[in-house]
Amino acid sequence: MLIPAELVSLLKVAARVVVLTGAGVSQESGLRTFRDAQTGLWSQYRPEDLATPEAFEREPKLVWDWYAMRREKVKTVKPNPGHFALVEMSRLIPQFTLITQNVDGLHQKAGSPLVIELHGNLQRIKCSVCAAQVDKWNESTEDVPRCSICGGILRPDVVWFGEALPRAVLEAAVTTARTCDLFFSIGTSALVQPAASLAVAAKHKNALVVEINANPTPLTERVDFALLGKSGEVLPTLVQAVWG
Ligand code: OAD
């Protein structure tokens, strides 16, 4: 993949860069995306059965077990060259903000220092009633484990469809998107709001928008640079082209 010379020049002098990542960034680590036609999680499961507050109310154990399965899977995988290239970028760019929709923690595992997690984190558990964060719970019970403070059932600390993103988290993401020189949308289908609107917010404030994706998305036609390819290949090539 050849990185456009103009993008290389822009990145060399860019002071404020924001990156938004999605499930595609973790695909090369062996985690499934959501919407890829044959392999995405939503081609096998229905989000309304597993990723809504109503689903959890209806069948808490089913939802708990699905997240427990994903939590265990994540523990077995490693960050890929795309994650590591983003760590390098965080060291080379004066103001670099990494925003992710991913709940897998792989950016942190790779060494990214500050990550704005829009949709929470699979490894964090909280009480569905009093919202207390919980460090230890009994996974082997027949029912969903309960909170030792209030007795409420525990849930993953992720954002489900129909739930609001944590306000401070969203505000931080919007503020950085509105004040950056370059905005990267990487490995996301750009379909889920409000995450998808961050690229648009950046563009409205005259940032240049770059997309890195294995396939075209609804955003592709609106970006300044569309780099078609796997993030684990394109990102290291980009870092090499700019700073190598
Ligand atoms: P999606 O599954 O919707 O999109 C993944 C994107 O990654 C697609 O556009 C693929 O073309 C692209 N892709 C796949 N492999 C890639 C690779 N190796 N390199 C680069 N791109 C690749 O995932 P998200 O956009 O992250 O939310 O989905 C957004 C949200 O919807 C998720 O956070 C999750 C989901 O439902 C909740 O659960 C609330």
Side-chain angles (χ1 to χ4, degrees), residues 21-28 32-36 40-42 47 51 67 70 101-103 119 158-161 186-192 195 212-217 229-232:
T21 64
V25 164
S26 297
Q27 184 266 334
E28 289 152 275
R32 293 169 69 175
T33 61
F34 294 94
R35 293 178 184 77
D36 280 296
L41 286 167
W42 297 152
Y67 278 92
R70 289 178 57 202
Q101 297 164 86
N102 298 344
V103 293
H119 294 166
V158 298
V159 176
W160 283 326
F161 289 103
I186 310 179
T188 172
S189 57
L191 288 169
V192 172
I212 300 175
N213 200 302
N215 303 290
T217 75
K230 293 189 168 212
S231 50

Side-chain angles (χ1 to χ4, degrees), residues 177-238:
R178 283 193 181 142
T179 51
C180 67
D181 310 315
L182 272 170
F183 184 98
F184 284 78
S185 179
I186 310 179
T188 172
S189 57
L191 288 169
V192 172
Q193 297 294 356
S197 67
L198 292 173
V200 180
K203 188 112 198 84
H204 279 158
K205 293 284 180 182
N206 293 325
L208 291 173
V209 177
V210 185
E211 181 179 62
I212 300 175
N213 200 302
N215 303 290
T217 75
L219 186 67
T220 309
E221 287 200 343
R222 306 171 69 180
V223 301
D224 298 283
F225 300 93
L227 308 182
L228 198 65
K230 293 189 168 212
S231 50
E233 293 165 11
V234 177
L235 278 167
T237 308
L238 179 81

Side-chain angles (χ1 to χ4, degrees), residues 10 36 51 60 68 72-73 76 97 109 124 153 167-168 177-178 203 205 211 214 216 222 228 237 241:
L10 284 164
D36 280 296
E72 290 313 305
K73 173 71 186 170
T76 68
T97 306
K109 227 180 195 178
R124 275 199 315 263
I153 54 174
R167 214 170 111 188
R178 283 193 181 142
K203 188 112 198 84
K205 293 284 180 182
E211 181 179 62
R222 306 171 69 180
L228 198 65
T237 308

